[in-house]
Amino acid sequence: MSKRFDVVVVGAGPAGEIVAQRAAAGGLSTALVEKELLGGECSYWACMPSKALLRPSEVHRLARAMPGVRELLAPGGVRAEAVLAWRDQKASHWDDAGQLEWAEGAKVSVVRGRGRLAGERRVQVEGPEGTQLLEAQRAVVLATGSRARVPEVPGLRDARPWTNREATAAKRVPRRLLVVGGGAVGVELAQAWRCLGSEVRLVHRGAHLLERLEPFASRAVARALTDEGVRLHLGCTLKEVRREGSGEVVARLDDGFEVRADELLLALGREPATQDLGLESVGLTPGKPVEVDDSLRARGVAGGWLYACGDVNGRTLLTHMGKYQAHVLGEVLQGRPARAWADARAVPQVLFTHPEVASVGLTEAAARKAGHRVRCAEVALESAAGTGLLGEGAHGHAKWVVDEERRVLLGVTLVGPGVGELLHAATVAVAGELPLETLWHAVPAFPTVSEVWLRLLEASGL
């Protein structure tokens, strides 16, 4: 027996939940298929628990820099047990009862099990109730997200490495942790576990961490990690790994260096979770991103009934951009014209490291590569009076990239305490293509860190 719905959404992460909610709100009967927990990777094994691990140490740093507060602090750093308990709370103790209640209130039918395409407009679900067949009258939406990439290194899989899942859900602090990968996940979790007491080494194949960011941001994070005792091995890769009978992990690098650790964390990027999604049944390639147009409709599938949003389509692998795409798709499913474009032009990202890094749009290098004629301005964050009020030694850096021909911002990068909360103003300016002359009339309050916008305008000759 099959069940019929207007829309069937496969994957109940943030993107899938929003698509389902908006479709149901528009009067479409909607099924939401999920094989694990409603809320997906971000809620339980990525964004929320990782930031919960990082935030206590950041608050402790800020308190140490504030006269009148630091005198009240107990000796030592944060208490790991309390931080892990806080992390458990922010991950809802890996219980999705609250999300299930939300779905019921939104009139979304939740179907538990592993969903895969079974031909045109059909989704087969293997779950606790056996095999079910769901038929979609209007659309099937794939929102299965992504998974950690595990390279083919001799002995690696047998060594039971951590991915972000194990690293954000661990119940104890490993004495020694080896992190492989110098991107966002690698640097955030290296710092989080170092601040909780681990001896951390980080291996990265590139000459610099965070290579897609402005160089000054990369240098600031690398310096902070080194100052905190994280040992960096740049320009090298894993050659071989083994886990010994004692449980110790032994990793040999291609430069001949051998590292011993209690756990090894892989942070080598993500790949769309399409390996067992039945893509072959509709003429697509398993293991590859589901390519879509700007309405999130899958390319190469006749009839226009298949859509994909979030990490699974490979456009921009960030939770908030998946949610953005889901909002667009919600409009499309209800027959209203909508197109996604911000995920190609105005993508914001925050690294919750110390120092914090926030960026949106293009870096200088990316803008020049794209053929723009640019002019850049850079200022110290402490040039804004509000920065000095954050505590002794508070500092940072800000840079923007201007399209010389149109006099609009192409990108902004900020480094310093709390700059993630400054980022949305930059995102509005980049997405809205506001002329620099107009930005003079967006007056920041005094004394706030946002006055850095005035310093950047002055540095641009205005």
Side-chain angles (χ1 to χ4, degrees):
M1 294 291 292
S2 63
K3 297 180 180 178
R4 293 186 176 183
F5 296 88
D6 292 321
V7 178
V8 176
V9 181
V10 183
E17 286 184 324
I18 289 175
V19 171
Q21 179 186 37
R22 293 178 72 82
L28 301 174
S29 60
T30 305
L32 181 59
V33 181
E34 177 54 54
K35 67 181 186 296
E36 294 184 294
L37 298 176
L38 299 183
E41 194 84 7
C42 182
S43 298
Y44 305 103
W45 301 287
C47 311
M48 294 302 291
S50 66
K51 280 43 174 185
L53 290 172
L54 284 159
R55 183 59 180 165
S57 295
E58 175 64 6
V59 171
H60 189 258
R61 290 187 191 94
L62 293 172
R64 290 203 316 261
M66 184 60 64
V69 176
R70 62 187 173 207
E71 292 82 2
L72 302 176
L73 299 178
V78 298
R79 296 180 179 177
E81 297 81 2
V83 174
L84 294 180
W86 165 253
R87 181 275 318 273
D88 292 352
Q89 180 184 339
K90 294 297 107 179
S92 301
H93 299 277
W94 293 273
D95 184 339
D96 65 357
Q99 292 302 102
L100 181 60
E101 183 178 348
W102 160 84
E104 292 171 347
K107 295 181 170 54
V108 172
S109 298
V110 174
V111 181
R112 299 280 191 177
R114 182 180 297 276
R116 62 193 318 273
L117 293 170
E120 183 175 347
R121 302 176 189 272
R122 292 153 65 93
V123 174
Q124 180 176 299
V125 182
E126 299 286 346
E129 299 179 6
T131 301
Q132 299 184 63
L133 186 64
L134 310 181
E135 296 187 19
Q137 303 301 298
R138 180 169 299 194
V140 173
V141 179
L142 303 179
T144 51
S146 61
R147 66 178 191 177
R149 189 172 71 84
V150 180
E152 294 301 326
V153 174
L156 180 59
R157 292 181 185 273
D158 291 337
R160 306 184 303 282
W162 280 4
T163 65
N164 63 288
R165 287 196 162 204
E166 292 79 13
T168 56
K171 298 300 184 183
R172 62 176 183 82
V173 178
R175 185 171 68 85
R176 300 165 301 172
L177 176 65
L178 172 61
V179 178
V180 182
V185 173
V187 297
E188 283 191 349
L189 290 176
Q191 190 169 64
W193 286 109
R194 175 60 191 147
C195 291
L196 291 175
S198 288
E199 298 174 11
V200 179
R201 292 181 184 268
L202 188 151
V203 173
H204 180 55
R205 66 184 303 173
H208 307 285
L209 302 177
L210 304 167
E211 291 161 314
R212 295 183 181 180
L213 295 179
E214 294 284 3
F216 74 86
S218 168
R219 290 193 297 269
V221 173
R223 184 166 52 250
L225 290 174
T226 302
D227 289 347
E228 290 170 354
V230 175
R231 299 184 182 182
L232 302 181
H233 298 261
L234 302 180
C236 54
T237 61
L238 284 181
K239 187 73 172 178
E240 186 180 5
V241 181
R242 70 180 186 275
R243 189 179 285 272
E244 299 189 333
S246 62
E248 184 179 58
V249 176
V250 181
R252 185 162 59 86
L253 308 182
D254 60 358
D255 62 1
F257 193 81
E258 188 175 88
V259 180
R260 292 178 176 268
D262 298 287
E263 300 293 348
L264 184 155
L265 165 60
L266 293 178
L268 295 170
R270 311 281 298 177
E271 56 188 21
T274 62
Q275 294 78 4
D276 187 28
L277 202 49
L279 294 184
E280 66 280 1
S281 72
V282 295
L284 299 180
T285 305
K288 300 291 185 181
V290 179
E291 294 186 11
V292 297
D293 61 20
D294 288 344
S295 66
L296 290 312
R297 182 178 282 110
R299 299 185 189 275
V301 178
W305 56 272
L306 183 64
Y307 297 82
C309 69
D311 287 8
V312 72
N313 64 33
R315 283 171 67 116
T316 306
L317 276 64
L318 291 167
T319 297
H320 44 280
M321 300 315 292
K323 293 167 71 173
Y324 160 74
Q325 292 176 7
H327 279 280
V328 171
L329 182 49
E331 296 294 296
V332 171
L333 292 177
Q334 294 176 54
R336 293 191 283 267
R339 294 289 183 270
W341 55 264
D343 53 359
R345 194 175 80 201
V347 178
Q349 183 175 11
V350 179
L351 295 180
F352 292 84
T353 50
H354 168 72
E356 202 163 275
V357 179
S359 65
V360 63
L362 299 178
T363 62
E364 178 181 355
R368 294 190 186 280
K369 184 177 181 180
H372 296 285
R373 187 164 62 88
V374 303
R375 175 181 293 184
C376 301
E378 300 186 52
V379 299
L381 202 67
E382 53 268 35
S383 63
T387 304
L389 297 174
L390 298 179
E392 291 182 350
H395 67 280
H397 199 77
K399 176 179 180 177
W400 70 19
V401 181
V402 177
D403 184 322
E404 275 281 75
E405 295 179 0
R406 295 184 297 144
R407 300 285 289 168
V408 299
L409 291 181
L410 296 173
V412 179
T413 300
L414 305 157
V415 173
V419 293
E421 299 303 330
L422 300 180
L423 184 60
H424 194 59
T427 303
V428 170
V430 172
E433 297 187 324
L434 299 179
L436 294 191
E437 288 74 14
T438 300
L439 289 177
W440 261 118
H441 300 281
V443 182
F446 179 86
T448 65
V449 183
S450 291
E451 281 198 306
V452 72
W453 283 86
L454 298 181
R455 307 290 85 82
L456 285 165
L457 284 163
E458 293 165 352
S460 297
L462 294 179

